[in-house]
Amino acid sequence: ALGRDPQSAPQAALAAVEGLRDRLVERSEPSIRAVALCRKVVTFGVYDEMKGDDFVSGRSIQTIVYSELRNLRSQKTDDGLFETRLGTRLELFSAKGESVWQRDEPEVTDRCRQRRSDFFLAQRITLPPTLPAGDYTLKVSVEDRVAGRADEHTATLAILAPISVASKKVPAA
């Protein structure tokens, strides 16, 4: 059937691929493809990451945790929309592996006319000024509540001592 009408062949092939993709997503695990700590997020894939010297001990650190997600399930609602529900937990670990900060985010519910093929989250957080200088790992855990499956991904950051940041900004004599 695909080879008979050259005009409809690409559309029919794409429809077949999309149907196959939907069936594969139903069987796949959710996936967090990327995590970044940002000063600004515009939309999917468009964001400004924070620089290393933006993370300084002794002051509150405001950032946006950007996460790209794939293979999320959605269920059709009575009004014909596709609904995706996500639970998210953010946890910061010291270099020794100790949990030093954590936050459970409110459930995210997305309702859309079309099934989503990808998704992003942008979550504003404030890390406390009491965190000492050192290396840290931020773990992002996302649960696809429709599928009952989860994934996690990490991002690293270094919190600098105020003196080391000040010495970098002083021009050499």
Side-chain angles (χ1 to χ4, degrees):
L2 291 178
R4 292 186 185 146
D5 180 3
Q7 295 294 328
S8 66
Q11 295 303 323
L14 283 174
V17 167
E18 286 178 18
L20 178 60
R21 185 196 177 286
D22 288 345
R23 286 191 297 281
L24 288 172
V25 165
E26 294 289 320
R27 296 181 179 159
S28 298
E29 297 294 322
S31 172
I32 303 172
R33 293 183 45 180
V35 170
L37 300 173
C38 305
R39 75 173 44 84
K40 179 172 127 181
V41 174
V42 179
T43 189
F44 186 91
V46 182
Y47 52 88
D48 293 331
E49 280 191 76
M50 294 180 73
K51 298 179 184 131
D53 60 1
D54 288 334
F55 302 100
V56 181
S57 68
R59 58 176 128 154
S60 295
I61 300 169
Q62 296 183 353
T63 187
I64 302 168
V65 180
Y66 172 86
S67 306
E68 283 182 13
L69 313 170
R70 293 195 68 176
N71 301 333
L72 299 175
R73 298 247 316 257
S74 49
Q75 57 191 163
K76 202 160 193 175
T77 60
D78 292 339
D79 57 359
L81 299 176
F82 290 92
E83 183 176 271
T84 304
R85 293 188 332 273
L86 305 171
T88 310
R89 179 177 175 79
L90 307 171
E91 190 166 10
L92 189 67
F93 294 91
S94 69
K96 294 179 184 178
E98 299 165 329
S99 176
V100 295
W101 178 90
Q102 63 275 325
R103 187 164 106 184
D104 290 311
E105 293 286 304
E107 181 174 271
V108 173
T109 301
D110 176 72
R111 294 169 55 91
C112 185
R113 293 178 187 266
Q114 301 296 321
R115 205 179 289 273
R116 295 240 187 240
S117 60
D118 50 28
F119 200 85
F120 80 96
L121 295 173
Q123 299 160 300
R124 291 185 183 277
I125 64 168
T126 302
L127 297 175
T130 54
L131 293 173
D135 294 324
Y136 294 86
T137 300
L138 177 69
K139 180 170 77 171
V140 177
S141 303
V142 176
E143 177 192 2
D144 178 342
R145 294 195 170 153
V146 173
R149 298 177 179 161
D151 191 25
E152 56 188 43
H153 198 81
T154 59
T156 58
L157 66 134
I159 296 179
L160 306 175
I163 294 171
S164 65
V165 173
S167 65
K168 287 181 183 178
K169 294 185 179 179
V170 175

